[in-house]
Amino acid sequence: MLSWMAWTWPTAGFFIFIFSCIVITGLVERRSPGGAERDGILRLRTTRGDRLFISILGSILLCLGWIGLFGLPVWGGLLSGLLWSLFVYWKV
């Protein structure tokens, strides 16, 4: 099923996860429009969507850095990405 683009199931799962995060954020935004902007540790005024983007982008970079430094498997990169995302939603 995924042979048309030489995808693997983990790659497809990653993109399904990102799409799911975007859909869930859209549903939450529809239920509670606007969200509460807040100033975080970096003195950036961010919304829920901003924090989602920062956490996804940072997690991708952490996973790529993990692969570059330590190779496979990427469980350490995934764990650091999860911790980064929690930090972003808590402090940024």
Side-chain angles (χ1 to χ4, degrees):
M1 180 175 147
L2 297 175
S3 62
W4 63 274
M5 199 169 166
W7 280 28
T8 62
W9 282 107
T11 304
F14 178 74
F15 282 98
I16 289 169
F17 174 74
I18 289 175
F19 180 73
S20 300
C21 286
I22 293 170
V23 167
I24 290 169
T25 300
L27 292 173
V28 169
E29 186 67 27
R30 183 178 175 116
R31 185 168 186 221
S32 173
E37 288 188 355
R38 63 181 194 213
D39 292 331
I41 206 168
L42 300 175
R43 299 292 181 230
L44 296 172
R45 185 168 296 267
T46 59
T47 63
R48 281 187 292 249
D50 297 332
R51 291 187 290 275
L52 175 66
F53 178 75
I54 292 169
S55 65
I56 289 174
L57 186 62
S59 297
I60 291 169
L61 292 174
L62 286 168
C63 285
L64 289 175
W66 184 272
I67 291 171
L69 292 174
F70 303 109
L72 297 175
V74 293
W75 294 114
L78 291 173
L79 178 63
S80 62
L82 177 65
L83 293 174
W84 168 253
S85 297
L86 291 173
F87 173 76
V88 166
Y89 274 93
W90 182 49
K91 286 289 188 181
V92 173

PDB file of all heavy atoms in Angstrom, residues 1-7 12:
ATOM      1  N   MET A   1       0.812  -1.196   0.000  1.00  0.00           N
ATOM      2  CA  MET A   1       0.000   0.000   0.000  1.00  0.00           C
ATOM      3  C   MET A   1       0.857   1.263   0.000  1.00  0.00           C
ATOM      4  O   MET A   1       0.485   2.257  -0.595  1.00  0.00           O
ATOM      5  CB  MET A   1      -0.906  -0.023   1.225  1.00  0.00           C
ATOM      6  CG  MET A   1      -1.800   1.163   1.342  1.00  0.00           C
ATOM      7  SD  MET A   1      -2.911   0.956   2.736  1.00  0.00           S
ATOM      8  CE  MET A   1      -3.076   2.616   3.248  1.00  0.00           C
ATOM      9  N   LEU A   2       1.993   1.235   0.653  1.00  0.00           N
ATOM     10  CA  LEU A   2       2.837   2.432   0.720  1.00  0.00           C
ATOM     11  C   LEU A   2       3.985   2.397  -0.283  1.00  0.00           C
ATOM     12  O   LEU A   2       4.863   3.248  -0.242  1.00  0.00           O
ATOM     13  CB  LEU A   2       3.404   2.577   2.135  1.00  0.00           C
ATOM     14  CG  LEU A   2       2.384   2.797   3.238  1.00  0.00           C
ATOM     15  CD1 LEU A   2       3.054   2.793   4.588  1.00  0.00           C
ATOM     16  CD2 LEU A   2       1.626   4.086   3.026  1.00  0.00           C
ATOM     17  N   SER A   3       4.000   1.435  -1.185  1.00  0.00           N
ATOM     18  CA  SER A   3       5.133   1.279  -2.095  1.00  0.00           C
ATOM     19  C   SER A   3       5.204   2.363  -3.163  1.00  0.00           C
ATOM     20  O   SER A   3       6.234   2.531  -3.797  1.00  0.00           O
ATOM     21  CB  SER A   3       5.066  -0.089  -2.762  1.00  0.00           C
ATOM     22  OG  SER A   3       3.888  -0.188  -3.534  1.00  0.00           O
ATOM     23  N   TRP A   4       4.140   3.115  -3.381  1.00  0.00           N
ATOM     24  CA  TRP A   4       4.141   4.129  -4.425  1.00  0.00           C
ATOM     25  C   TRP A   4       5.148   5.230  -4.160  1.00  0.00           C
ATOM     26  O   TRP A   4       5.578   5.915  -5.068  1.00  0.00           O
ATOM     27  CB  TRP A   4       2.745   4.719  -4.595  1.00  0.00           C
ATOM     28  CG  TRP A   4       2.232   5.429  -3.380  1.00  0.00           C
ATOM     29  CD1 TRP A   4       1.576   4.873  -2.330  1.00  0.00           C
ATOM     30  CD2 TRP A   4       2.351   6.819  -3.087  1.00  0.00           C
ATOM     31  NE1 TRP A   4       1.266   5.819  -1.389  1.00  0.00           N
ATOM     32  CE2 TRP A   4       1.733   7.029  -1.827  1.00  0.00           C
ATOM     33  CE3 TRP A   4       2.907   7.906  -3.740  1.00  0.00           C
ATOM     34  CZ2 TRP A   4       1.671   8.282  -1.237  1.00  0.00           C
ATOM     35  CZ3 TRP A   4       2.834   9.146  -3.147  1.00  0.00           C
ATOM     36  CH2 TRP A   4       2.215   9.319  -1.921  1.00  0.00           C
ATOM     37  N   MET A   5       5.569   5.407  -2.906  1.00  0.00           N
ATOM     38  CA  MET A   5       6.529   6.460  -2.596  1.00  0.00           C
ATOM     39  C   MET A   5       7.653   5.934  -1.720  1.00  0.00           C
ATOM     40  O   MET A   5       8.379   6.700  -1.113  1.00  0.00           O
ATOM     41  CB  MET A   5       5.816   7.617  -1.908  1.00  0.00           C
ATOM     42  CG  MET A   5       6.576   8.898  -1.945  1.00  0.00           C
ATOM     43  SD  MET A   5       5.501  10.215  -1.408  1.00  0.00           S
ATOM     44  CE  MET A   5       6.699  11.476  -1.124  1.00  0.00           C
ATOM     45  N   ALA A   6       7.783   4.636  -1.636  1.00  0.00           N
ATOM     46  CA  ALA A   6       8.821   3.988  -0.839  1.00  0.00           C
ATOM     47  C   ALA A   6       8.771   4.427   0.623  1.00  0.00           C
ATOM     48  O   ALA A   6       9.792   4.622   1.267  1.00  0.00           O
ATOM     49  CB  ALA A   6      10.205   4.242  -1.437  1.00  0.00           C
ATOM     50  N   TRP A   7       7.579   4.588   1.142  1.00  0.00           N
ATOM     51  CA  TRP A   7       7.400   4.951   2.541  1.00  0.00           C
ATOM     52  C   TRP A   7       7.439   3.706   3.397  1.00  0.00           C
ATOM     53  O   TRP A   7       7.091   2.620   2.970  1.00  0.00           O
ATOM     54  CB  TRP A   7       6.054   5.620   2.746  1.00  0.00           C
ATOM     55  CG  TRP A   7       6.017   7.055   2.359  1.00  0.00           C
ATOM     56  CD1 TRP A   7       6.777   7.664   1.420  1.00  0.00           C
ATOM     57  CD2 TRP A   7       5.173   8.054   2.906  1.00  0.00           C
ATOM     58  NE1 TRP A   7       6.448   8.983   1.333  1.00  0.00           N
ATOM     59  CE2 TRP A   7       5.467   9.250   2.240  1.00  0.00           C
ATOM     60  CE3 TRP A   7       4.195   8.057   3.867  1.00  0.00           C
ATOM     61  CZ2 TRP A   7       4.822  10.440   2.524  1.00  0.00           C
ATOM     62  CZ3 TRP A   7       3.542   9.239   4.144  1.00  0.00           C
ATOM     63  CH2 TRP A   7       3.870  10.415   3.484  1.00  0.00           C
ATOM     64  N   ALA A  12       4.959   6.830   7.645  1.00  0.00           N
ATOM     65  CA  ALA A  12       3.533   7.127   7.483  1.00  0.00           C
ATOM     66  C   ALA A  12       2.904   7.470   8.833  1.00  0.00           C
ATOM     67  O   ALA A  12       2.101   8.400   8.933  1.00  0.00           O
ATOM     68  CB  ALA A  12       2.824   5.933   6.844  1.00  0.00           C
TER      69      ALA A  12
END
